[in-house]
Amino acid sequence: MMRSLAPKEPALFAYHVNLERRVPADHPLRRVKQTLDLSFVAPAVKHTYGRTGNPSVPPELILRMMFLLFYYNIPSERELMDQIGLRLDFLWFLDWDLESAVPNHSVLSKARTRWGTQIFEQLFTRTVKQCVQAGLVDGQLLHIDSTIVAANAAKDSVLRGGPELVAALRAAYAQQEQKLEVVAGPPDPPTPTVAAVATATQPTQSAPEASALRMLVALPTPAPSVPAAPLKPASKMANVNATHVSTTDPDARLARDKSGVTRLTYKDHRMVDDAHGVITAVASTSSTVADGTQLSTLHEQHQSHTGLKLDRVALAGDKHYGTADNFRYCLQTGLRAHLGQAVNAVAEQGLFAPKRFIYEAAQDCFLCPAGQRLVFHQHKPELNCKVYLIARAELCLGCSLRSQCTRAKAGRSLQVPADYALLQPAWEQASSPAARQSRRRRQQVMEGSFADAANNHGAKRARWRRQWRQQIQSWLIAAIQNLRLLIKHGRNGSQQGGAALHQMHDGSAAADQKLVTKAVLAKFLTRHLRWTPIGMAKGPGLIASRKRLSNISARDPRPACRKNRVGQHALTSSPTI
């Protein structure tokens, strides 16, 4: 006899719902909860809460909710709160049950304002130290790079004005934002309204500041959009941002991306260890900040976070980091500068680059490709550089190489760093085969790290506004990526990770040549023999790859190269571990 479907009456009580049994044993959040240590949160933020009033949501749970927000790349905090009530794994991760009340989404934004940035930096730093203790960081080869992050603001919010007005408008926005901050302890005295400040006649208030405040009162809605045509080239973006400001996010700056589109953006900088792709240093700046200016800051963060002070450490970066200041910093700190040299402005015009000129230290002069001397002309202390000129201008007028050397009537000139002779060894080291191999390796590791952050954790767009909130987002995403690596490789880690790649850093030319030979062999095996790296193939393909590798090893006396799956690019395409 068939039973018909009867209406289901909801149960008044649920006595037998055990979330511990409902969440599978292999669920990724189980390993996350076991590895993530948030015991430091409550003591660190205790001073930001009052002694009386309604009890808050425990700080550890607030940070766990922010973790879920980025770990699963949930679009908004409102949607996160909706999913918490629907998903049993979320409830279990937060130590809640079916009867627990889900808080309002504003709890997260208020906690960020109340806590500040320090607690999120501590979270990231602790994940780095966990990776160091697990043996996932060896510190022998470091990679550095940056990426553009779209701000949470549209171009329709951009206002155009004079430099003084724009600077005063940014200061006025900062002043108004302070009224929304959550202040611990006794409340501050009442603050005048925006209109009162704008109309008050204070001797210390300048005309641009009063105009900016009046503009805040008169603009309750965003200003009309700024047309894209008048925007200046990327080389003049600093001047553009001096006369343009966003009413939605005053900290965001206009910048042009690789596709040529100009938009409001920030810039994220990272330093990544080569062994397993662990992120050891993070910085969030304005998009107009040059990449090369952040090298020393990130390296100091790396040393502080990891506690590693090793000799002969190599630092790989592209041409944006190959400035004289960075090469000088590497010499002072004992780093091996595997940096791409910055493109000279003269070389971009199709003329001889400074490296084509031979420096004679004894006479402090340069020899041009035609054999003529360029003598010292002047010293520019503000730029820390020297200028050299051709001895006589008529020597350049009759030179057969003039079309490839200079177009100036006074002849060829050179502007080089003041300590040019001291920097020459660093430049030669940056051109070595080992340095070129490090830069090729950097492309894989850094692009993989940024791609994983963008695809799985939404790192290509800012969730919140203002730069300090963008810095929080960078720390949270980097901490999640490090935690995934820690779980993937186990708590004990691998002490030998990336050892084959770091033989190049023992200071000997033989080790450099050995690494290059291994890289060429691996490339040959992969492209021409369709060799599959050991540990990645499955079934008969694994046996076939081992046979090919054994046959090659029998014919070649050199040791067979085993391709390691190291770096952040080896992670899966989904946050499931």
Side-chain angles (χ1 to χ4, degrees):
M1 176 179 174
M2 182 183 68
R3 176 180 296 180
S4 60
L5 181 63
K8 181 67 175 178
E9 291 290 338
L12 296 178
F13 305 98
Y15 295 105
H16 305 291
V17 178
N18 188 347
L19 296 183
E20 184 68 29
R21 297 176 58 185
R22 296 278 180 169
V23 178
D26 58 347
H27 196 284
L29 285 181
R30 284 191 176 274
R31 284 171 283 178
V32 169
K33 190 174 183 179
Q34 182 182 4
T35 309
L36 184 62
D37 182 16
L38 299 180
S39 58
F40 70 98
V41 177
V45 301
K46 185 178 180 180
H47 66 282
T48 63
Y49 290 88
R51 297 182 179 179
T52 59
N54 295 328
S56 67
V57 178
E60 296 90 341
L61 298 186
I62 295 178
L63 200 53
R64 287 185 187 180
M65 285 188 281
M66 294 187 190
F67 182 92
L68 292 174
L69 183 70
F70 287 97
Y71 186 77
Y72 286 97
N73 193 17
I74 299 176
S76 67
E77 295 174 356
R78 294 175 184 267
E79 184 172 342
L80 171 66
M81 297 305 175
D82 292 339
Q83 291 194 19
I84 288 177
L86 298 175
R87 296 188 54 167
L88 299 181
D89 54 349
F90 283 11
L91 292 174
W92 173 86
F93 183 72
L94 297 172
D95 293 330
W96 286 344
D97 53 30
L98 297 179
E99 302 298 330
S100 300
V102 179
N104 189 271
H105 66 88
S106 62
V107 169
L108 303 182
S109 59
K110 291 180 179 179
R112 286 191 298 271
T113 305
R114 182 186 298 272
W115 296 350
T117 60
Q118 186 177 5
I119 191 68
F120 302 96
E121 183 181 11
Q122 291 182 20
L123 174 64
F124 166 69
T125 304
R126 290 172 71 92
T127 60
V128 175
K129 292 181 178 179
Q130 283 182 283
C131 292
V132 172
Q133 294 172 0
L136 303 181
V137 179
D138 59 9
Q140 292 293 336
L141 175 57
L142 306 176
H143 305 291
I144 185 172
D145 204 355
S146 67
T147 187
I148 293 294
V149 178
N152 190 4
K155 288 171 62 177
D156 293 344
S157 65
V158 176
L159 291 176
R160 179 182 297 175
E164 294 183 357
L165 179 62
V166 169
L169 188 59
R170 287 196 173 102
Y173 273 112
Q175 178 184 356
Q176 298 305 312
E177 189 184 30
Q178 291 179 357
K179 300 178 181 180
L180 302 178
E181 293 182 357
V182 179
V183 182
D188 293 336
T191 306
T193 61
V194 179
V197 175
T199 55
T201 57
Q202 298 180 0
T204 58
Q205 189 179 33
S206 62
E209 291 178 350
S211 177
L213 289 173
R214 284 193 292 271
M215 186 179 296
L216 283 176
V217 180
L219 291 176
T221 58
S225 61
V226 178
L231 292 178
K232 300 179 182 179
S235 59
K236 299 181 180 180
M237 274 300 165
N239 297 332
V240 169
N241 285 288
T243 57
H244 292 74
V245 61
S246 170
T247 57
T248 303
D249 189 353
D251 291 344
R253 296 292 185 269
L254 290 169
R256 182 170 295 167
D257 57 15
K258 295 181 180 179
S259 60
V261 178
T262 302
R263 53 182 177 174
L264 294 166
T265 55
Y266 290 101
K267 184 178 288 188
D268 270 0
H269 308 261
R270 284 185 177 185
M271 182 167 287
V272 177
D273 183 80
D274 183 77
H276 292 279
V278 175
I279 306 168
T280 59
V282 174
S284 179
T285 65
S286 168
S287 57
T288 57
V289 174
D291 294 350
T293 60
Q294 301 299 308
L295 185 142
S296 59
T297 303
L298 292 176
H299 181 252
E300 291 172 0
Q301 283 188 29
H302 164 81
Q303 289 184 320
S304 175
H305 296 164
T306 61
L308 300 177
K309 301 244 176 137
L310 306 176
D311 297 331
R312 309 297 296 172
V313 175
L315 180 59
D318 57 19
K319 63 182 180 180
H320 298 99
Y321 297 91
T323 62
D325 291 337
N326 288 339
F327 279 108
R328 194 176 296 113
Y329 174 80
C330 290
L331 287 174
Q332 293 173 356
T333 56
L335 292 171
R336 301 180 67 188
H338 289 183
L339 307 174
Q341 296 189 30
V343 178
N344 188 270
V346 177
E348 289 182 340
Q349 300 175 8
L351 304 178
F352 288 146
K355 63 182 180 180
R356 296 289 301 272
F357 295 75
I358 302 174
Y359 180 69
E360 293 185 348
Q363 301 182 8
D364 191 19
C365 66
F366 284 86
L367 287 180
C368 73
Q372 302 296 333
R373 295 182 184 274
L374 278 74
V375 298
F376 174 73
H377 175 62
Q378 67 173 337
H379 177 242
K380 296 182 177 180
E382 67 278 4
L383 299 177
N384 194 21
C385 65
K386 293 181 179 180
V387 179
Y388 293 81
L389 292 177
I390 190 71
R392 298 195 311 274
E394 53 269 19
L395 295 177
C396 288
L397 294 176
C399 181
S400 61
L401 301 177
R402 175 180 173 81
S403 60
Q404 306 177 51
C405 186
T406 183
R407 302 185 183 96
K409 295 181 179 180
R412 181 59 191 262
S413 63
L414 282 180
Q415 181 171 298
V416 298
D419 49 354
Y420 182 86
L422 297 177
L423 295 178
Q424 274 190 311
W427 289 330
E428 294 175 358
Q429 188 180 72
S431 302
S432 64
R436 291 195 294 269
Q437 175 63 19
S438 295
R439 289 193 290 272
R440 285 193 292 268
R441 174 67 180 164
R442 183 204 65 84
Q443 292 179 352
Q444 301 175 11
V445 176
M446 293 306 304
E447 294 298 333
S449 178
F450 283 128
D452 177 73
N455 297 334
N456 297 328
H457 308 296
K460 290 301 290 182
R461 180 174 176 81
R463 288 179 175 269
W464 310 305
R465 294 163 184 167
R466 306 311 294 265
Q467 183 173 332
W468 66 272
R469 293 190 180 96
Q470 173 57 30
Q471 180 67 72
I472 292 177
Q473 173 175 318
S474 301
W475 279 325
L476 283 172
I477 293 177
I480 290 174
Q481 290 183 272
N482 288 344
L483 193 68
R484 288 174 54 198
L485 283 172
L486 189 65
I487 296 173
K488 177 183 176 181
H489 295 281
R491 281 185 171 271
N492 295 329
S494 174
Q495 300 291 344
Q496 304 298 328
L501 293 171
H502 301 142
Q503 293 178 358
M504 58 188 297
H505 306 293
D506 59 358
S508 61
D512 293 346
Q513 185 61 33
K514 185 177 180 181
L515 178 72
V516 175
T517 303
K518 285 188 174 184
V520 173
L521 179 60
K523 186 176 181 181
F524 173 79
L525 293 172
T526 304
R527 290 190 175 182
H528 299 283
L529 299 182
R530 297 181 179 179
W531 167 68
T532 305
I534 294 177
M536 296 177 63
K538 296 182 179 180
L542 178 59
I543 302 176
S545 63
R546 287 176 175 172
K547 287 183 178 179
R548 296 192 194 103
L549 185 59
S550 60
N551 294 336
I552 294 296
S553 302
R555 297 194 301 265
D556 195 335
R558 293 172 297 183
C561 176
R562 177 171 178 171
K563 190 174 181 181
N564 294 315
R565 290 186 66 192
V566 294
Q568 196 76 33
H569 63 286
L571 292 175
T572 59
S573 59
S574 64
T576 302
I577 302 172

